[in-house]
Amino acid sequence: MRLCAWYLYGEKHRGYALNPVANFHLQNGSVLWRINWMADTSPRGIAAACGMMVNYRYFLEDTASNSAAYLGTKAIKASEQVLSLVSQFQQNSKL
């Protein structure tokens, strides 16, 4: 879960999210909301994402500002759950 959070939040290509689905949602003003353990236990879900799924949440009143922040300064808006996982990853990582 921590590695997944880091991949979605911290791994970048030219400053934007490396994951194309994350990049799509963040460009449209979403918040990286929740990472769900074993949410997709299909063979494809296990092979592609170790069974994890991600929720992106759109707060309509914030989508324009979130999108502008992401496109302008490459700032990713994320929930406390995701930020906590990212922090745990950074504390324990040797990267």
Side-chain angles (χ1 to χ4, degrees):
M1 297 266 298
R2 294 185 299 257
L3 181 59
C4 179
W6 176 254
Y7 169 68
L8 295 170
Y9 184 83
E11 289 299 317
K12 307 283 178 87
H13 175 70
R14 296 184 179 165
Y16 297 106
L18 184 62
N19 182 276
V21 174
N23 194 45
F24 169 82
H25 287 289
L26 295 167
Q27 284 181 14
N28 287 306
S30 73
V31 176
L32 179 53
W33 190 250
R34 184 172 54 212
I35 299 172
N36 304 290
W37 175 254
M38 297 306 283
D40 184 357
T41 57
S42 70
R44 182 175 179 200
I46 296 294
C50 299
M52 287 185 252
M53 291 184 77
V54 180
N55 294 113
Y56 296 91
R57 188 164 179 188
Y58 289 85
F59 294 97
L60 296 181
E61 65 277 5
D62 298 329
T63 56
S65 61
N66 289 349
S67 177
Y70 181 67
L71 294 171
T73 64
K74 300 170 178 84
I76 294 177
K77 184 83 170 182
S79 71
E80 287 300 318
Q81 185 237 20
V82 173
L83 294 175
S84 175
L85 290 167
V86 167
S87 177
Q88 291 171 39
F89 173 82
Q90 290 174 317
Q91 291 172 2
N92 297 311
S93 174
K94 299 203 186 325
L95 295 179

